[in-house]
Amino acid sequence: YLGMAPRRGQPAAPADAAQARKLMALLDLGRHADQPLASVGPALYRRIALARALASAPDVLLLDESAEWDCLKARAQWRAAFRDVRRKLRQTTLMVTADAESAISMADRLVVMDGAQVRQTGAVSDIYNFPSDAFVACSVGRCSLVPGEYTGPGQFRSSSGLELPCAHVDPQPAGPAVLAIRPENVELGPPMGGLRARVTDVTFLGSQIEYGLDMYGHPLSAVASTRTSGVPPLQPGASVDL
């Protein structure tokens, strides 16, 4: 099943045997070599499709990631296999996806688009930590948006009058602004007279607990590790400092 797909206007040609064996080894397909293609499952079929695409040694590999997965484990295995192959073959790849998690975990550089317009390009970490606007911030990960205004270097005042720390912005924006807050950047502690919030929702996620918060009328999300203290999770209605 590693026969090269024909290019437009050209007949199909078999893949080089050595190249085929190399790709089968990289993608752990050797033990399935004699299995009929019609009998393989979706996860295996994706690896076969990747091997077929790579068999012709393309200058650029184009991928349109499927939004349908059998399970989270299959998706994680696919991503790991793809990263390994791309690294070993040094294959330039362009992938189109609407899944922020896939984009962040698989890409070196991102191009965030909205309505066929480019909103921001750059390294994954740069776009995640320093998005150009609220659309980009919410496109590459979860965040809570707090309306207000930027009042000075590292200072933000919410529409309810809260003074909040933020990244330095240059040049300083004029007029209304929005502060994007990632859940992992919110630390929770016992009430000690600081910035107060009320727990509105608690979701256990195994290694993490996700909290929904009400910060003086602003909805906020936070995550905490279940290993940090051994203290039972906070319950809805509890008061915490941020």
Side-chain angles (χ1 to χ4, degrees), residues 26-239:
L26 281 175
L27 288 160
D28 191 25
L29 293 172
R31 54 198 172 97
H32 302 286
D34 297 324
Q35 186 174 348
L37 186 60
S39 68
V40 304
L44 180 58
Y45 193 87
R46 290 186 181 93
R47 283 189 283 150
I48 295 172
L50 177 59
R52 280 178 152 178
L54 291 169
S56 59
D59 294 329
V60 179
L61 177 66
L62 306 180
L63 295 180
D64 186 2
E65 189 183 38
S66 170
E68 298 179 0
W69 293 93
D70 300 331
C71 62
L72 293 177
K73 180 180 179 181
R75 180 168 60 178
Q77 289 174 338
W78 158 256
R79 290 173 180 170
F82 173 79
R83 287 194 299 264
D84 185 55
V85 169
R86 191 188 61 179
R87 182 177 64 253
K88 290 178 178 177
L89 296 182
R90 302 182 63 84
Q91 174 67 54
T92 300
T93 304
L94 176 62
M95 183 179 72
V96 179
T97 179
D99 182 5
E101 185 179 337
S102 291
I104 293 173
S105 65
M106 298 174 69
D108 298 314
R109 293 181 59 82
L110 293 179
V111 179
V112 182
M113 301 185 70
D114 175 29
Q117 298 297 316
V118 174
R119 300 290 286 262
Q120 187 175 357
T121 64
V124 175
S125 59
D126 289 342
I127 291 184
Y128 185 84
N129 293 312
F130 303 102
S132 60
D133 54 37
F135 176 85
V136 174
C138 294
S139 295
V140 296
R142 297 185 55 205
C143 63
S144 302
L145 300 178
V146 178
E149 61 178 338
Y150 186 79
T151 57
Q155 298 177 333
F156 183 88
R157 182 182 297 115
S158 76
S159 58
S160 62
L162 294 177
E163 298 292 339
L164 301 170
C166 67
H168 176 67
V169 179
D170 186 26
Q172 179 172 329
V178 175
L179 177 63
I181 304 175
R182 301 285 187 202
E184 66 270 21
N185 291 335
V186 179
E187 294 186 8
L188 306 181
M192 299 179 64
L195 187 63
R196 187 69 54 86
R198 179 176 59 87
V199 177
T200 58
D201 188 47
V202 180
T203 304
F204 181 76
L205 300 174
S207 62
Q208 291 183 323
I209 299 175
E210 181 178 317
Y211 292 104
L213 305 169
D214 184 310
M215 182 181 66
Y216 299 94
H218 301 294
L220 198 65
S221 294
V223 290
S225 171
T226 55
R227 299 179 56 190
T228 51
S229 62
V231 177
L234 298 166
Q235 298 302 313
S239 292

